[in-house]
Amino acid sequence: MAHTAVEHTVTDHAAVEHTAVEHALVEHAAAGVPVGKAPVTLLGLGAMGTALARAWLAAGHPLTVWNRTPARAEALAAEGATVAATAAEAVAANPLVVVCLLDDATVGDVLADVDLTGRDLVNLTTGTPAQARERAAWARQRGARYLDGGIMAVPPMVGIPQAGGYVLYSGAPDLFEQHRPALAVPLAATWTGEDPGFAALHDIALLSAMYGMFAGAAHAFALIRTEDIDPTAFAPLLADWLAAMAPSVHQTAEHLRTGDYTKNVTSPLAMQVAGTPTFLATAEQQGVSPELLAPYFELMRRRLGEGSGEEDLTGVVDLLLRSGA
């Protein structure tokens, strides 16, 4: 599509969307659906997609669903969902189209021949920031507006606000605000910025921190594994300690923002590096591989060799950036 045509499509989209939304709401109101419950189309009924579908149905939203394996839609049909025979039929049913599929390649495959004109595409499929930006441009070229999303929850958390799950969204703020009431039904909705790649970036950054925590916990359990220590008695101590240490990320963030890595430091890098042999010796004595801790300790030593021993561990962030360059 030529650049001028793309601009024309995007400019006219608001009018098309307004008319489509009004038409859909009128139709659903005539069918007895509560006013204000925006109709939603959902593509993908894996464990997460099914959980999202049930949350929208429970809240009274008219829902059209599609899945490559039709059998997965049968239970939802019994609960009130409209089952579309094709992805194109599902997309045509409602202006708001939510996609929750295996990966970015599957999204492209499923929507390859589908008319997206006038649709608002919300992609909750896990992907990279680059994929999200490319998918946003792809959607825009096909006459659709686009939001990307990163789900920070597992299926049992969906529809249960007290469980603490949420979805990170990125894209146009006005588009996010327009659909926030419907998007916030299954899980809390948090906007991360206008760049379509920001939701995916936040998603992977947060999950990366999670896996770092899992790695530390695995090492901790390995240390006590062969001793007469009940892991279920140890677990509360571990959980409480991790919770107590978690707020340190605020100081790291402040150091990165200001560039001063020595402000309010209570455990200097030099002191922490001096203590690492004790951790490695204990691992050896317990018959535990140091492979989860050793790389981080090596980064700490390298940072100490080129930086101030009075700073904290923030400098490792800069070292990682240079290492990955």
Side-chain angles (χ1 to χ4, degrees):
M1 183 181 293
H3 180 66
T4 53
V6 172
E7 287 182 339
H8 180 71
T9 298
V10 173
T11 301
D12 289 348
H13 189 287
V16 173
E17 169 66 13
H18 181 72
T19 302
V21 170
E22 278 193 340
H23 179 69
L25 289 176
V26 167
E27 283 190 340
H28 287 292
V33 175
V35 176
K37 299 293 186 178
V40 179
T41 283
L42 175 63
L43 306 182
L45 297 175
M48 181 58 75
T50 298
L52 295 171
R54 288 201 162 105
W56 275 310
L57 288 170
H61 285 264
L63 182 68
T64 299
V65 299
W66 172 86
N67 193 71
R68 273 181 167 169
T69 306
R72 288 190 175 180
E74 291 176 0
L76 293 172
E79 296 172 32
T82 299
V83 180
T86 65
E89 180 183 321
V91 170
N94 299 306
L96 176 59
V97 179
V98 179
V99 181
C100 188
L101 297 170
L102 177 63
D103 53 27
D104 181 70
T106 305
V107 174
D109 182 43
V110 167
L111 296 177
D113 299 317
V114 175
D115 183 6
L116 297 178
T117 304
R119 292 299 178 257
D120 289 338
L121 187 63
V122 179
N123 187 12
L124 302 184
T125 304
T126 300
T128 69
Q131 286 174 331
R133 290 166 182 140
E134 291 167 3
R135 189 59 63 193
W138 171 90
R140 187 167 56 250
Q141 289 169 355
R142 299 181 64 184
R145 298 189 296 179
Y146 182 90
L147 288 176
D148 201 74
I151 301 175
M152 305 305 298
V154 292
M157 299 169 70
V158 176
I160 305 175
Q162 60 269 30
Y166 56 95
V167 179
L168 301 163
Y169 289 97
S170 57
D174 57 338
L175 180 58
F176 172 70
E177 289 301 329
Q178 177 183 338
H179 293 299
R180 183 202 285 263
L183 296 177
V185 167
L187 291 160
T190 299
W191 185 68
T192 61
E194 192 162 0
D195 185 324
F198 275 9
L201 182 57
H202 280 72
D203 179 29
I204 298 303
L206 292 172
L207 291 176
S208 297
M210 177 192 74
Y211 279 112
M213 179 189 70
F214 288 165
H219 185 86
F221 277 117
L223 289 175
I224 70 162
R225 184 63 171 153
T226 59
E227 302 289 349
D228 186 20
I229 298 175
D230 184 348
T232 63
F234 179 72
L237 297 173
L238 178 58
D240 289 348
W241 178 245
L242 292 174
M245 292 297 99
S248 67
V249 301
H250 298 296
Q251 178 164 293
T252 300
E254 181 63 17
H255 285 177
L256 290 170
R257 188 184 68 82
T258 64
D260 182 359
Y261 296 175
T262 62
K263 184 178 180 180
N264 297 326
V265 171
T266 57
S267 299
L269 179 62
M271 181 192 76
Q272 296 200 55
V273 169
T276 58
T278 300
F279 292 88
L280 298 175
T282 300
E284 183 178 7
Q285 293 163 13
Q286 294 300 110
V288 174
S289 169
E291 60 193 293
L292 292 175
L293 288 184
Y296 190 69
F297 286 169
E298 176 59 26
L299 286 168
M300 290 167 58
R301 285 191 289 272
R302 285 172 55 192
R303 179 63 184 177
L304 180 62
E306 65 178 49
S308 167
E310 298 304 311
E311 68 183 34
D312 65 358
L313 299 174
T314 305
V316 170
V317 176
D318 297 331
L319 200 57
L320 285 173
L321 284 170
R322 293 202 299 275
S323 297

